[in-house]
Amino acid sequence: MALTREERETFLAEPHIAALAVDAGAGRAPLTVPIWYQYEPGGEVWIMTGLDSRKYELISKAGRFSLLVDRLEPTIRYVSVEGPAVETVTATEEHLREISARYLPAEKVDGYVAFASANHGEQVVVRMRPERWVSSDLGSV
């Protein structure tokens, strides 16, 4: 059964690992990779990636991407959201700290931020405006 708008936005706002998919060009399947993301209901989704990454190159070229998040328990539920990349900015330590705190235990955030800052190179934040949603809770059928 499809989720209501409130249910799908609430689900997307939970800290799931997303599968990012973006057009990889003629003769290629979409690039699909796991990624951390940030979202608040009613807002834009944002991801952080390397300025020199293939993800960013393809998102820049395609101008849009999609995210899929899911869970298996207590019921199988998923939300897929797709839309245009509406803004790209240079990532700051504040962005890195925010997204790290979403996924990591509090005691590991400082260490991860220090490691990522030293080793991941220049990062960008790409914001996507959700346009199309597909969602379901397969346990309610």
Side-chain angles (χ1 to χ4, degrees), residues 10-23:
T10 298
F11 186 74
L12 187 62
E14 296 170 0
H16 303 281
I17 303 298
L20 178 145
V22 61
D23 183 5

Side-chain angles (χ1 to χ4, degrees), residues 24 51 55 71 98 137:
L51 178 63
K55 289 186 295 286
R71 73 167 193 215
E98 179 181 342
D137 187 325

Side-chain angles (χ1 to χ4, degrees), residues 123-138:
Q123 301 282 301
V124 292
V125 168
V126 181
R127 294 187 181 279
M128 179 249 281
R129 184 180 61 247
E131 280 186 345
R132 294 182 182 92
W133 297 77
V134 177
S135 63
S136 188
D137 187 325
L138 303 176

Side-chain angles (χ1 to χ4, degrees), residues 28-128:
R28 301 281 308 261
L31 173 71
T32 307
V33 294
I35 196 162
W36 288 354
Y37 69 94
Q38 181 61 289
Y39 175 74
E40 292 184 20
E44 295 171 343
V45 177
W46 64 266
I47 61 161
M48 231 173 104
T49 191
L51 178 63
D52 297 328
S53 70
R54 184 145 189 264
K55 289 186 295 286
Y56 181 60
E57 173 190 344
L58 293 173
I59 290 169
S60 296
K61 184 175 179 182
R64 61 192 314 109
F65 63 95
S66 64
L67 296 177
L68 169 69
V69 298
D70 67 347
R71 73 167 193 215
L72 299 177
E73 293 182 6
T75 59
I76 298 171
R77 179 177 277 199
Y78 67 87
V79 169
S80 177
V81 61
E82 179 247 330
V86 295
E87 179 184 41
T88 300
V89 297
T90 301
T92 63
E93 184 176 317
E94 189 174 303
H95 289 117
L96 179 57
R97 186 165 298 283
E98 179 181 342
I99 205 157
S100 299
R102 177 173 164 85
Y103 290 96
L104 298 174
E107 67 274 7
K108 296 198 178 239
V109 171
D110 288 341
Y112 180 78
V113 168
F115 173 83
S117 295
N119 293 287
H120 289 174
E122 190 170 355
Q123 301 282 301
V124 292
V125 168
V126 181
R127 294 187 181 279
M128 179 249 281

